[in-house]
Amino acid sequence: MDYVSSGIGKTDFLQLRKLYPLFVFSRVSWENRLDHLYIEYEFWTGKNSRNALFFRPSLKVYGRPIEKGSAEWLDPFLFQLGLIELISYWKATCSPEILIQAGSLAASQIKWWQKLYLKGLGEFFFRNGIERDYPGILHIECDSAKQFRPVEIFSLQGNLIPVGGGKDSFLTLEWMKEEKENNLCFLLNPIKAQWDTLRYFSYPLDQVIVVERQIDSLLLELNKKGFLNGHTPFSALLAFLGTMLMALYKIKNYVASQESSANHPTVPSESINHQYSKSYEFERDFQKFLADSLCPSFSYFSLLRPLSEIQIARLISEIPGALSVFQSCNKNRHCGGWCGHCAKCLFSFLIFRPFVEAQKISGIFGSDLLEKQSLFSLFLSLCGKAEQRPFECLGTEEESLAAASLLWHKAKATGKKPPVLIEKLFSQYPHLLMTRNAIQATYDLVNTEHSLPKKFLSLLQKNVIKKALFDD
């Protein structure tokens, strides 16, 4: 029986689980080629291997030559990396049984992975109409005697910094300038904004690692045929990929750029967070997993965790030329620039606008987005006045209201009209307008839930100086 999509997520979910009851992680292989490290995984799904769908995704690691002897402890990192790569392929059929043949997992590790799969795929389940607590939604078993124990790697030093091309990693690189010679940047499937960011900070190529991740073309074909598809925990993939690079190059610290806004759920009633693998909950879980299962000497943390999106925007606006370098629009990610229509563009424009002259920021974004009536419904969703918040990496509703209220007060103080969307928002919902004191408190709030080592906490404290938002 061939699969025919009904177009209804829950119906397709049940049909696919019958057709593809088993998902197998069968193999991981790697070889150190002339100019790169090549890694390949093999997964298959079906009733048996004879009539299965096979996937063979690959990774290529380019850059600095691999440290002599590093390959000795590569296997456990590649195995665990395969378990996060697996999720992109498993979600196509949501097979009830996951069989691991490439290695063995302890009961505690299986429990850890089940949590990541279920929480990291929360948005995927929600948007496909699938209950996360569906009986027997996934069961993990191992069919291998190969055990991977934590490794102790000596002489670790320096910092690994993932550079995504957006504002957050830009600020991390700005603050880490004094550590520059100890930093190794890594890019995954790089785009122009990532290279532009590295050029801005003058990073030489011998301090850059490029990873090319190749999705198996069969998965793309299945997506077109209506197999299940949706959001996966991408930052968890970066975390496992990064720790593999740390093992290769004997790096001590993985310095991420997640902020406190990522802790807040996108759908609070369902405890679903689009940014789950950017949250502090995942950060703590991953730290424990590193210590228990991979390398207890590694340090994984987010330098920006105490800060909110609006604080980061204020800080970046003070860096000369920064706004013309980074880019956070996902719709225009590969072609560059800001699309000017999506939630990410509108939110970014909103949080930078209080600190950047209107003509300048409008030139960067292509127009003044706060003057576009067509974006009012989207604007309401950012401010908590819509049925659903956008599934994007955005700040909280309170942050959106703080930025909007700041613009409103600044306009009134100078006798000018507030931007169209802001005036319309507060005329329809006057109770949402925050007082000056409330705005200042929101911008000054520093989250105390973080895992910053003392040295990096001092770095943050040196750079985050509270400033009055109003002259009087």
Side-chain angles (χ1 to χ4, degrees):
M1 176 184 172
D2 292 330
Y3 169 69
V4 179
S5 173
S6 68
I8 303 171
K10 179 64 178 293
T11 302
D12 291 345
F13 167 76
L14 295 173
Q15 183 186 173
L16 285 164
R17 284 166 70 83
K18 289 181 179 179
L19 291 171
Y20 303 94
L22 183 62
F23 188 97
V24 179
F25 176 8
S26 52
R27 177 177 57 81
V28 54
S29 61
W30 63 274
E31 61 176 309
N32 198 3
R33 296 182 175 175
L34 185 62
D35 64 341
H36 67 276
L37 174 69
Y38 179 79
I39 305 157
E40 184 178 275
Y41 294 100
E42 182 179 84
F43 312 119
W44 61 264
T45 184
K47 294 177 180 176
N48 53 62
S49 61
R50 292 188 303 276
N51 300 300
L53 300 174
F54 276 83
F55 306 103
R56 295 182 182 91
S58 64
L59 296 163
K60 295 178 182 178
V61 181
Y62 295 90
R64 184 185 295 180
I66 295 170
E67 294 271 337
K68 187 177 182 180
S70 295
E72 295 175 11
W73 48 69
L74 192 58
D75 287 342
F77 294 92
L78 293 183
F79 171 60
Q80 301 292 350
L81 178 59
L83 290 167
I84 191 63
E85 186 71 68
L86 173 157
I87 203 170
S88 295
Y89 298 87
W90 174 84
K91 68 177 171 55
T93 59
C94 288
S95 306
E97 188 78 24
I98 296 177
L99 183 64
I100 311 298
Q101 296 178 333
S104 180
L105 293 170
S108 60
Q109 293 174 318
I110 289 176
K111 185 177 180 181
W112 191 93
W113 279 105
Q114 285 176 321
K115 177 184 178 181
L116 175 57
Y117 289 171
L118 293 176
K119 286 209 163 189
L121 287 172
E123 177 185 335
F124 162 79
F125 292 129
F126 180 78
R127 300 184 80 171
N128 281 288
I130 302 165
E131 300 93 349
R132 275 189 298 185
D133 58 357
Y134 182 85
I137 191 165
L138 66 89
H139 176 71
I140 301 174
E141 282 196 9
C142 298
D143 182 20
S144 172
K146 187 186 294 184
Q147 294 183 337
F148 298 103
R149 300 189 182 279
V151 297
E152 191 61 72
I153 305 174
F154 299 101
S155 303
L156 297 174
Q157 58 184 343
N159 312 296
L160 183 74
I161 304 176
V163 179
K167 71 182 190 313
D168 299 335
S169 57
F170 186 97
L171 185 60
T172 292
L173 288 174
E174 171 70 16
W175 286 357
M176 296 284 287
K177 284 194 297 189
E178 293 180 9
E179 289 265 328
K180 183 177 175 182
E181 64 183 32
N182 299 317
N183 297 336
L184 186 63
C185 301
F186 94 85
L187 317 179
L188 176 60
N189 293 350
I191 58 169
K192 182 177 182 294
Q194 290 165 285
W195 289 116
D196 288 347
T197 298
L198 294 184
R199 275 191 288 270
Y200 180 92
F201 292 103
S202 302
Y203 270 91
L205 285 178
D206 64 359
Q207 284 184 256
V208 180
I209 302 298
V210 173
V211 179
E212 291 182 2
R213 180 185 180 221
Q214 183 65 52
I215 301 291
D216 192 296
S217 59
L218 176 58
L219 181 63
L220 305 179
E221 292 175 23
L222 297 181
N223 290 343
K224 292 178 182 178
K225 292 179 179 179
F227 280 65
L228 295 169
N229 194 14
H231 180 73
T232 58
F234 182 70
S235 292
L237 173 73
L238 289 179
F240 279 98
L241 180 56
T243 50
M244 183 267 289
L245 296 177
M246 291 167 74
L248 282 177
Y249 299 106
K250 296 185 179 180
I251 303 293
K252 172 64 177 175
N253 302 306
Y254 182 116
V255 186
S257 303
Q258 272 72 273
E259 19 65 30
S260 63
S261 308
N263 298 333
H264 297 268
T266 312
V267 187
S269 61
E270 301 287 338
S271 298
I272 291 168
N273 186 357
H274 171 80
Q275 304 186 79
Y276 170 72
S277 60
K278 289 185 175 183
S279 70
Y280 187 51
E281 179 182 359
F282 172 77
E283 182 176 324
R284 286 178 303 185
D285 285 353
F286 189 69
Q287 288 166 344
K288 188 173 188 315
F289 190 86
L290 272 183
D292 294 345
S293 302
L294 283 173
C295 180
S297 301
F298 284 169
S299 178
Y300 173 90
F301 59 88
S302 175
L303 181 60
L304 308 185
R305 180 66 68 195
L307 304 180
S308 65
E309 292 266 20
I310 53 175
Q311 290 168 317
I312 291 169
R314 179 178 68 80
L315 291 162
I316 290 181
S317 67
E318 298 171 355
I319 303 172
L323 279 161
S324 299
V325 178
F326 68 83
Q327 181 234 320
S328 300
C329 174
N330 291 326
K331 289 195 174 182
N332 273 13
R333 177 171 172 78
H334 294 287
C335 58
W338 302 82
C339 75
H341 305 291
C342 70
K344 200 72 179 282
C345 282
L346 183 56
F347 178 74
S348 298
F349 189 95
L350 172 65
I351 61 175
F352 279 108
R353 179 61 188 84
F355 309 105
V356 182
E357 194 270 327
Q359 186 175 356
K360 179 180 178 181
I361 194 169
S362 296
I364 292 169
F365 281 77
S367 63
D368 189 334
L369 304 191
L370 294 178
E371 296 291 341
K372 287 190 170 184
Q373 290 271 10
S374 60
L375 296 178
F376 186 61
S377 293
L378 188 59
F379 188 60
L380 288 179
S381 72
L382 299 180
C383 298
K385 284 299 172 183
E387 288 186 11
Q388 179 63 61
R389 271 181 66 74
F391 283 102
E392 279 281 9
C393 296
L394 306 168
T396 64
E397 295 163 2
E398 184 181 15
E399 290 177 69
S400 294
L401 290 173
S405 298
L406 179 56
L407 283 168
W408 189 92
H409 284 291
K410 283 191 168 187
K412 294 297 182 181
T414 56
K416 297 178 182 178
K417 273 187 87 173
V420 168
L421 297 190
I422 290 172
E423 187 169 41
K424 192 172 180 179
L425 171 71
F426 293 131
S427 65
Q428 291 188 16
Y429 304 97
H431 64 285
L432 295 181
L433 179 63
M434 296 171 67
T435 65
R436 292 187 175 198
N437 286 342
I439 297 167
Q440 186 73 56
T442 302
Y443 273 88
D444 289 344
L445 182 64
V446 175
N447 194 331
T448 56
E449 274 201 329
H450 60 77
S451 301
L452 290 180
K454 187 176 180 180
K455 169 186 171 182
F456 291 91
L457 180 58
S458 297
L459 178 64
L460 179 133
Q461 291 169 337
K462 182 181 78 172
N463 284 282
V464 178
I465 302 171
K466 292 182 180 180
K467 292 185 177 180
L469 297 171
F470 303 98
D471 295 330
D472 52 350

